[in-house]
Amino acid sequence: MSDTRRRVKVYTLNEDRQWDDRGTGHVSSSYVERLKGMSLLVRAESDGSLLLESKINPNTAYQKQQDTLIVWSEAENYDLALSFQEKAGCDEIWEKICQVQGKDPSVEVTQDLIESEEEHIEEMPETSPLIDLPICELNKLEEIADLVTSVLSSPIRREKLALALENEGYIKKLLQLFQVCENLENTEGLHHLYEIIRGILFLNKATLFEVMFSDECIMDVVGCLEYDPSLAQPKRHREFLTKTAKFKEVIPITDSELRQKIHQTYRVQYIQDIILPTPSVFEENFLSTLTSFIFFNKVEIVSMLQEDEKFLSEVFAQLTDEATDDDKRCELVNFFKEFCAFSQTLQPQNRDAFFKTLAKLGILPALEIVMGMDDLQVRSAATDIFSYLVEFSPSMVREFVMQEAQQSDDDILLINVVIEQMICDTDPELGGAVQLMGLLRTLIDPENMLATANKTEKSEFLNFFYNHCMHVLTAPLLANTSEDKCEKDAVVGSTKSNTICPGALRFMRRIIGLKDEFYNRYITKGNLFEPVINALLDNGTRYNLLNSAVIELFEFIRVEDIKSLIAHIVENFYNALESIEYVQTFKGLKTKYEQEKDRQSQKLNSVPSILRSNRFRRDARALEEDEEMWFNEDEEEEGEAVVPPVEKSKQEDDFPDSYEKFMETKKAKESEDKENLPKRTSAGGFKFTFSHSASAANGANGANSKSVAAQTSPASSNGSSSRNVALSPAVPAPKGSLVGLVDYPDDEDDDEEEETSPRKRPRLGS
């Protein structure tokens, strides 16, 4: 509007360094004969009196701030400021000042400021309201709308306008005008009110929101926002909020403040999500306080509900009561879903207390009931609640299911209910199954399991899972790979004994893809490659999906250089595979195998000769004990040999004769050496007392070793201690090759000499 462009407020700085309002008027620039120069003149809008007459001094430092402020000092203790209602008017006067001083209008300060001037000028925008609101009348609505719209580009002016609106109770006056306009069907006025209320929301002030969203005002605010000028017909938001949207109390809420807060939060969320258009790039930060307003309302609602244990107890009681009808149960579950969603607004410590309260009241047993129900909507909401609990504390859920297993059958365990829901998902997109799969993965992930001095969650829960849940999880896979199923899916022309189901092959590929030696050992122990290779050979020269899948499996092993599997495949199946030459995969596996053997041979050659000398060969008396230990040990146990297998020598060929001689003399010495023979312990192992140089076997640490009796068990696999060394060879030697550790008669003196030094005896373990 033309009459508002140069509308200004005049301010002066008082002795207390506060800005005093000298009045509102209109500014102009003209030559004043009395002052002998171009001057700034401000005449009051009320009576036309002269509020300001100030010569534009060529040496005065004028400063332009926030697009609508011009500040300067006329004397040592006399500072002035003009606050413009519109940026255009400020720009016009600023150009006049710069013209007089010969400056470019793009500058923000016309002269260098002295320190005192900087202090005065910087205080200006922080100390006083600079917005004078028009009278709240129908004929001023356009002017008010222009004012509200004009300040949005300036943070300082937004602050000042918000303060003025708050101090003068202006919003309630505007809403009274809205009722008048609506009664008069004043469409133009209603369009202006839309712009005004929308602009006030964009001021982003919580104090204004408190007024606008009160029970007294919020429906009128929604009404103003129905009259968007860009729409041919107004929206009917009030009708939806009052008639269509129904507030359901699953359990009657007696706290009136809580009920009011819930109503308010729903309506404000509706304003943000439905009524207000998507903010532009310019407006995207204007509603951050509105988001915060909703956020803190939700925090308050959760806190008030959480403190009302009587209310929550009643909700849980009805949720788990068999007599509760399906509609009511659906409402209860949806309430808890929204309740948990609101809890995400809490601080971590408060959220912790919230979920502990739910756990105490029995949220997990309740979920166990509702997740097994037929109603899809109820199950979906229960799954969402379960996801909040798992994300918050997987350990809490694990502890519950392990305690539950002591009192319930496997079929009704919560975690098995989850698995069954995942398996039986009827959604073609498998949305529910994917969500449950992610939750199950979180629960069985060892990486987020706790380990304390007295408790190892990993071992406890995984043992529980394998014992009580694994059969449920693997049931579909086993059904898909059953003999009957495989016979139906078998490749035409193949033999039934060698068929392999696509489901089984994919499963094995995923397991090998983990590159986990635990699984690799299980595969080699069970000889699980045999049916895969048989299927490949039975497939013959057919180039099909099965052929490609099997070749890719072995190629992955070759590329990733999985040594344990490479060795198993080459040692057991290479003769059957070497004829396959249309790919280089199997030759590549053989090459990898031979390269690894060469590396191991080089490592053996690098072992110091002292470790392979006669000093470490035991006498014939220990041989029988070693053989008995070897055959008593599990085949799966892996040890690391102190002395790796050596090449077969002539002595190895003569070993049977030497062994017979040893057996003939054994009985004669038995009583003499009785105390040195190994004695079987109560655990089924053996007790040894060996003596040899500890420094050679254990390095520097051996000097501090003491003579001890090492108890070993066939099932023991502990070989990690620096004082324990495994005597079992890494690979079983061929029959008749156990010679490398036998002492010769010329070493007896050395052994007897070392036996007198008990402090050097190391602890030995298989």
Side-chain angles (χ1 to χ4, degrees):
M1 297 176 64
S2 59
D3 60 334
T4 63
R5 191 172 68 248
R6 292 196 178 187
R7 188 166 181 263
V8 296
K9 269 186 173 291
V10 180
Y11 290 89
T12 59
L13 192 69
N14 62 29
E15 293 180 355
D16 297 326
R17 306 186 69 77
Q18 300 295 318
W19 291 97
D20 292 333
D21 184 352
R22 294 300 183 183
T24 303
H26 291 82
V27 65
S28 62
S29 62
S30 59
Y31 185 86
V32 177
E33 181 64 31
R34 182 176 60 84
L35 297 177
K36 305 295 184 185
M38 291 293 294
S39 303
L40 297 176
L41 305 174
V42 178
R43 295 193 176 274
E45 66 177 2
S46 57
D47 57 7
S49 60
L50 194 64
L51 295 178
L52 175 70
E53 184 179 60
S54 173
K55 180 182 178 181
I56 303 175
N57 194 317
N59 299 318
T60 297
Y62 292 84
Q63 185 174 22
K64 183 183 178 186
Q65 295 182 0
Q66 302 294 337
D67 296 330
T68 56
L69 283 173
I70 297 177
V71 187
W72 73 98
S73 297
E74 281 200 347
E76 185 175 349
N77 293 315
Y78 190 65
D79 300 288
L80 290 165
L82 293 178
S83 174
F84 291 76
Q85 180 171 323
E86 294 185 16
K87 179 179 181 296
C90 183
D91 290 342
E92 289 177 5
I93 297 300
W94 183 251
E95 287 179 7
K96 293 288 186 182
I97 294 172
C98 292
Q99 183 179 351
V100 172
Q101 292 197 345
K103 302 291 184 180
D104 187 338
S106 64
V107 301
E108 294 185 349
V109 182
T110 60
Q111 307 287 337
D112 292 333
L113 294 174
I114 61 176
E115 184 177 353
S116 61
E117 289 177 329
E118 287 182 349
E119 291 176 357
H120 295 169
I121 290 171
E122 287 175 359
E123 288 181 27
M124 174 62 206
E126 300 177 1
T127 53
S128 292
L130 303 177
I131 299 294
D132 186 27
L133 293 170
I135 300 172
C136 194
E137 296 177 348
L138 286 178
N139 60 353
K140 294 287 187 180
L141 286 177
E142 184 178 3
E143 183 179 344
I144 297 169
D146 288 342
L147 171 62
V148 172
T149 305
S150 69
V151 304
L152 295 179
S153 62
S154 169
I156 295 296
R157 285 174 62 75
R158 289 206 306 268
E159 289 286 334
K160 303 310 176 186
L161 176 59
L163 189 59
L165 290 170
E166 183 182 355
N167 290 341
E168 299 182 22
Y170 209 78
I171 291 175
K172 290 184 179 180
K173 296 177 183 178
L174 288 170
L175 296 178
Q176 290 172 0
L177 287 182
F178 165 72
Q179 295 175 4
V180 172
C181 287
E182 199 166 40
N183 291 334
L184 297 175
E185 298 184 355
N186 183 345
T187 305
E188 183 181 2
L190 291 170
H191 288 167
H192 288 317
L193 282 165
Y194 170 88
E195 298 291 348
I196 293 168
I197 294 299
R198 180 174 177 271
I200 292 175
L201 286 173
F202 284 166
L203 292 179
N204 212 22
K205 293 293 291 183
T207 52
L208 299 181
F209 292 161
E210 292 289 348
V211 177
M212 299 173 76
F213 301 147
S214 65
D215 286 347
E216 178 186 358
C217 298
I218 190 165
M219 281 303 172
D220 286 335
V221 169
V222 172
C224 291
L225 295 173
E226 291 179 351
Y227 292 94
D228 186 344
S230 64
L231 300 177
Q233 294 293 327
K235 294 288 187 178
R236 295 184 176 181
H237 298 302
R238 285 173 293 175
E239 182 179 336
F240 174 83
L241 290 173
T242 56
K243 297 180 180 179
T244 307
K246 297 295 183 182
F247 177 62
K248 294 182 179 180
E249 295 182 71
V250 290
I251 302 293
I253 297 175
T254 56
D255 189 334
S256 59
E257 182 184 355
L258 173 59
R259 189 186 299 107
Q260 186 274 334
K261 190 68 67 175
I262 293 172
H263 282 302
Q264 183 189 60
T265 304
Y266 176 78
R267 291 164 180 169
V268 176
Q269 188 88 59
Y270 182 86
I271 290 173
Q272 184 185 45
D273 295 342
I274 306 299
I275 299 179
L276 292 177
T278 303
S280 64
V281 175
F282 172 69
E283 300 166 339
E284 63 184 356
N285 294 322
F286 285 0
L287 296 176
S288 59
T289 304
L290 181 62
T291 303
S292 299
F293 183 91
I294 297 170
F295 173 89
F296 288 113
N297 262 20
K298 290 180 178 179
V299 170
E300 198 169 345
I301 291 170
V302 172
S303 300
M304 294 171 76
L305 284 173
Q306 184 180 344
E307 292 167 3
D308 190 349
E309 290 197 8
K310 182 179 179 182
F311 174 83
L312 289 179
S313 299
E314 182 64 23
V315 173
F316 275 108
Q318 292 199 23
L319 187 62
T320 55
D321 188 353
E322 293 181 359
T324 303
D325 62 70
D326 292 344
D327 291 340
K328 181 70 171 180
R329 200 185 310 276
C330 184
E331 291 177 2
L332 290 165
V333 173
N334 284 327
F335 163 77
F336 263 114
K337 175 184 173 181
E338 191 167 2
F339 192 28
C340 291
F342 276 25
S343 73
Q344 302 307 296
T345 62
L346 297 174
Q347 293 295 321
Q349 64 272 21
N350 296 333
R351 191 159 64 247
D352 182 69
F354 168 78
F355 281 110
K356 285 182 177 177
T357 299
L358 292 188
K360 178 182 175 183
L361 291 170
I363 184 67
L364 287 168
L367 283 179
E368 188 173 61
I369 294 173
V370 297
M371 288 186 75
M373 292 184 174
D374 295 331
D375 190 304
L376 183 60
Q377 187 179 1
V378 170
R379 289 208 313 265
S380 177
T383 300
D384 290 336
I385 297 170
F386 185 64
S387 70
Y388 285 120
L389 294 170
V390 172
E391 289 168 11
F392 165 71
S393 177
S395 295
M396 181 181 74
V397 179
R398 293 188 197 109
E399 185 176 358
F400 168 77
V401 296
M402 285 192 290
Q403 291 176 353
E404 182 190 28
Q406 300 172 8
Q407 305 168 357
S408 307
D409 295 334
D410 286 357
D411 292 342
I412 61 173
L413 294 179
L414 174 60
I415 196 165
N416 284 341
V417 172
V418 170
I419 293 172
E420 288 170 2
Q421 293 296 331
M422 177 182 72
I423 294 170
C424 302
D425 187 14
T426 56
D427 180 8
E429 301 293 329
L430 295 177
V434 171
Q435 183 183 13
L436 290 170
M437 181 179 67
L439 298 175
L440 184 63
R441 184 173 184 174
T442 300
L443 288 174
I444 63 175
D445 183 4
E447 295 300 320
N448 62 36
M449 294 184 183
L450 303 176
T452 62
N454 301 322
K455 178 181 177 183
T456 305
E457 187 181 35
K458 184 186 298 185
S459 60
E460 289 184 8
F461 182 76
L462 291 181
N463 281 335
F464 157 82
F465 187 82
Y466 279 110
N467 290 330
H468 297 275
C469 310
M470 184 57 80
H471 66 282
V472 181
L473 182 63
T474 56
L477 181 66
L478 296 176
N480 192 45
T481 57
S482 65
E483 185 175 348
D484 293 341
K485 176 75 172 175
C486 289
E487 288 179 9
K488 293 178 182 177
D489 296 340
V491 179
V492 177
S494 64
T495 60
K496 290 184 180 179
S497 59
N498 291 331
T499 57
I500 183 169
C501 293
L505 186 60
R506 284 196 297 267
F507 184 61
M508 188 172 183
R509 173 62 179 83
R510 290 299 295 269
I511 290 176
I512 291 175
L514 297 175
K515 296 188 287 187
D516 188 322
E517 279 303 306
F518 176 83
Y519 292 114
N520 293 345
R521 287 195 298 271
Y522 189 88
I523 289 170
T524 56
K525 173 188 172 184
N527 198 24
L528 301 184
F529 276 109
E530 183 176 3
V532 177
I533 292 172
N534 286 341
L536 176 65
L537 297 176
D538 288 344
N539 194 54
T541 58
R542 286 186 290 272
Y543 183 66
N544 52 22
L545 185 61
L546 175 64
N547 176 276
S548 299
V550 175
I551 294 296
E552 191 279 333
L553 173 68
F554 288 108
E555 181 66 14
F556 176 82
I557 295 171
R558 184 193 69 80
V559 171
E560 296 296 326
D561 196 17
I562 305 176
K563 294 180 175 56
S564 59
L565 297 184
I566 291 175
H568 175 74
I569 294 164
V570 172
E571 291 172 0
N572 293 279
F573 305 108
Y574 186 70
N575 290 340
L577 297 171
E578 64 179 339
S579 61
I580 299 177
E581 296 182 343
Y582 56 87
V583 290
Q584 298 300 308
T585 298
F586 301 106
K587 288 186 177 180
L589 288 171
K590 181 68 178 296
T591 302
K592 291 270 188 184
Y593 174 75
E594 291 174 345
Q595 289 173 348
E596 180 62 20
K597 283 190 67 176
D598 290 342
R599 279 194 292 269
Q600 294 298 332
S601 177
Q602 291 173 5
K603 286 183 181 179
L604 174 63
N605 293 335
S606 66
V607 176
S609 59
I610 185 66
L611 294 181
R612 289 171 286 151
S613 69
N614 293 342
R615 292 170 59 85
F616 292 91
R617 293 179 179 169
R618 288 169 290 161
D619 63 341
R621 290 173 300 185
L623 180 60
E624 183 180 86
E625 301 158 12
D626 267 358
E627 283 190 326
E628 187 174 354
M629 285 180 63
W630 171 259
F631 289 112
N632 281 336
E633 286 180 346
D634 280 351
E635 293 177 355
E636 303 86 52
E637 294 301 319
E638 294 182 359
E640 188 174 342
V642 174
V643 182
V646 296
E647 294 182 3
K648 190 171 182 180
S649 64
K650 183 177 184 302
Q651 287 179 324
E652 289 176 304
D653 293 331
D654 296 338
F655 171 71
D657 294 334
S658 301
Y659 188 73
E660 291 295 332
K661 293 177 181 179
F662 156 70
M663 293 300 293
E664 291 175 2
T665 59
K666 177 178 181 294
K667 292 183 179 180
K669 292 187 176 183
E670 193 169 20
S671 58
E672 176 185 348
D673 300 325
K674 187 175 181 180
E675 63 180 3
N676 289 329
L677 290 177
K679 297 179 176 58
R680 189 176 294 273
T681 66
S682 60
F686 297 89
K687 182 178 286 187
F688 291 93
T689 307
F690 282 115
S691 302
H692 61 71
S693 173
S695 60
N698 294 323
N701 293 334
N704 297 324
S705 301
K706 296 184 178 180
S707 176
V708 292
Q711 183 171 323
T712 66
S713 170
S716 173
S717 60
N718 180 13
S720 60
S721 172
S722 62
R723 296 184 178 184
N724 293 334
V725 290
L727 298 179
S728 312
V731 178
K735 185 177 180 181
S737 62
L738 297 172
V739 160
L741 300 179
V742 179
D743 276 343
Y744 292 92
D746 56 4
D747 289 327
E748 288 182 359
D749 294 337
D750 292 335
D751 289 341
E752 291 174 0
E753 185 176 326
E754 290 174 2
E755 209 165 16
T756 62
S757 179
R759 66 185 180 86
K760 293 185 178 180
R761 293 176 182 170
R763 178 177 297 170
L764 301 178
S766 59

